[in-house]
């Protein structure tokens, strides 16, 4: 198969999604630059690795040289204290996008998260224009990232796609994930739309497969041409069996963000759910 003549930077390459997505990138693009704070192993012929910290301005400028498109999975991927979230996900993203702009990078795919809208009730069906309702400091950093992408798209012409990823796994691991699971092959489809769609300006899409129980109206993704292949419902028996083994979470079970929503929760449950 002929590979597209593009150089793609993948941050967070040593992480779970980074590791899963690498074979797909390898089979589609000519050159892939992997980056992470941790080591990455088993490089393919068309992969190189640069160990780098997202907040290191000089390292980010160097790494963005000659890059056509960035797939940004790096940073903090779960809840953290303010200092960590600020450094990894706020400062780190600012540094990377600023470097991308400086080096003339044309495309930026941002791994946002369902936790940007995790305080919505599971009874609500929302679209990407529904206002953000972060369920955590981590979720807030993802909402910030989506807004930062808008700024760099509108002011500097970088074509941006923010993917509010649900949950990447071999199959949905509980009841909540039946609504928001995404197979890695479907996620790659979204990523490649971000890297290649000819008229993309700046979009937010939900990163989920063909899930009957979805909380989300994913019309912008379908308009870009997204056609997910995988269905959470094909794994319903396994997901329900796994759900039986999870600890009850009387707060989290109401919210799209699950345990991220219930962590540190001391608010007014009814008022939050119905507003
Ligand atoms: C996320 O954003 C996290 O990165 C991942 O670890 C999962 O917790 C996922 O959301 C989820 O909501 O299942």
């Amino acid at each position: 198969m002929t590979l597209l003549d593009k150089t793609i930077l993948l941050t967070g390459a040593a992480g779970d999604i980074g590791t899963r997505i690498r074979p797909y990138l390898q089979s589609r693009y000519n050159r892939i630059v992997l980056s992470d704070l941790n080591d990455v192993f088993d490089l393919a012929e068309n992969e190189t690795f640069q160990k780098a910290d997202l907040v290191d301005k000089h390292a980010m400028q160097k790494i963005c040289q000659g890059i056509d498109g960035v797939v940004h999975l790096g940073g903090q991927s779960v809840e953290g204290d303010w200092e960590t979230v600020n450094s990894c996900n706020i400062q780190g993203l600012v540094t990377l996008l600023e470097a991308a702009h400086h080096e003339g990078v044309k495309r930026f795919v941002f791994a946002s998260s369902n936790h940007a809208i995790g305080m919505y009730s599971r009874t609500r069906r929302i679209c990407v224009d529904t206002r953000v309702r972060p369920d955590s400091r981590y979720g807030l950093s993802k909402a910030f990232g989506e807004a930062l992408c808008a700024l760099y798209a509108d002011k500097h012409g970088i074509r941006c796609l923010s993917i509010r990823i649900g949950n990447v796994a071999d199959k949905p691991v509980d009841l909540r994930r039946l609504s928001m699971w995404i197979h890695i092959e479907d996620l790659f489809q979204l990523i490649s739309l971000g890297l290649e769609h000819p008229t993309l300006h700046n979009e937010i899409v939900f990163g989920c497969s063909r899930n009957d129980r979805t909380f989300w109206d994913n019309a912008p993704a379908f308009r870009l041409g997204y056609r997910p292949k995988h269905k959470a419902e094909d794994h319903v028996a396994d997901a329900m069996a796994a759900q039986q083994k999870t600890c009850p979470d009387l707060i989290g079970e109401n919210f799209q963000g699950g345990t991220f929503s219930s962590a540190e929760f001391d608010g007014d449950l009814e008022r939050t759910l119905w507003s």
Side-chain angles (χ1 to χ4, degrees):
M1 205 181 97
T2 321
L3 300 181
L4 288 186
D5 188 22
K6 286 184 189 300
T7 306
I8 305 301
L9 168 63
L10 176 68
T11 71
D16 179 55
I17 302 181
T19 306
R20 288 171 188 261
I21 211 74
R22 280 176 53 202
Y24 293 89
L25 292 170
Q26 286 160 23
S27 64
R28 181 131 183 107
Y29 302 106
N30 240 336
R31 292 164 301 277
I32 301 117
V33 178
L34 307 173
S35 173
D36 205 295
L37 269 180
N38 297 312
D39 287 327
V40 168
F41 302 97
D42 301 324
L43 295 187
E45 265 183 23
N46 56 351
E47 288 181 324
T48 55
F49 174 59
Q50 291 192 40
K51 198 174 193 138
D53 192 337
L54 288 169
V55 295
D56 181 338
K57 190 175 160 189
H58 296 293
M60 286 305 116
Q61 282 194 2
K62 191 164 160 258
I63 220 168
C64 283
Q65 284 168 10
I67 295 296
D68 295 301
V70 176
V71 179
H72 179 47
L73 306 180
Q76 172 79 1
S77 65
V78 288
E79 179 61 313
D81 58 31
W82 280 117
E83 207 182 332
T84 306
V85 171
N86 183 32
S87 161
C88 300
N89 288 11
I90 306 280
Q91 285 307 321
L93 182 60
V94 170
T95 308
L96 177 61
L97 258 168
E98 196 47 36
H101 170 44
H102 188 266
E103 295 304 322
V105 174
K106 300 278 185 279
R107 301 262 175 174
F108 197 89
V109 178
F110 172 56
S112 183
S113 167
N114 70 86
H115 297 292
I117 39 85
M119 289 312 286
Y120 279 103
S121 161
R122 293 191 194 183
T123 60
R124 286 280 298 275
R125 187 175 169 89
I126 61 172
C127 64
V128 295
D129 294 329
T130 314
R131 67 182 166 157
V132 293
R133 260 177 114 170
D135 59 23
S136 51
R137 293 172 288 276
Y138 163 71
L140 179 76
S141 75
K142 295 299 184 179
F144 169 85
E146 293 172 358
L148 198 65
C149 284
L151 178 68
Y152 278 79
D154 289 338
K155 287 204 101 165
H156 305 304
I158 301 182
R159 295 183 191 272
C160 292
L161 183 69
S162 296
I163 308 174
R164 283 183 185 161
I165 301 175
N167 185 257
V168 178
D170 294 336
K171 54 189 178 184
V173 293
D174 56 18
L175 177 65
R176 175 175 159 266
R177 268 57 165 253
L178 278 173
S179 300
M180 60 175 60
W181 173 72
I182 183 164
H183 188 280
I184 193 70
E185 192 181 1
D186 290 338
L187 180 61
F188 179 66
Q189 203 190 124
L190 285 172
I191 289 174
S192 56
L193 283 167
L195 293 173
E196 297 170 35
H197 193 283
T199 61
L200 174 73
H201 175 64
N202 174 52
E203 287 287 349
I204 299 172
V205 295
F206 290 108
C208 60
S209 285
R210 278 173 57 209
N211 304 339
D212 293 349
R213 305 176 194 226
T214 188
F215 306 133
W216 307 323
D217 170 358
N218 212 4
F222 301 134
R223 274 199 296 274
L224 288 175
Y226 179 49
R227 300 291 177 267
K229 284 192 191 157
H230 298 268
K231 286 181 72 174
E233 220 58 25
D234 289 343
H235 308 281
V236 67
D238 286 350
M240 293 315 250
Q243 177 68 33
Q244 299 299 316
K245 294 184 194 147
T246 61
C247 297
D249 177 355
L250 298 179
I251 305 281
E253 70 187 21
N254 296 283
F255 294 104
Q256 297 189 10
T259 54
F260 283 63
S261 311
S262 56
E264 303 174 40
F265 185 91
D266 54 9
D268 183 324
L269 181 61
E270 290 305 311
R271 180 153 51 84
T272 304
L273 280 174
W274 296 111
S275 63

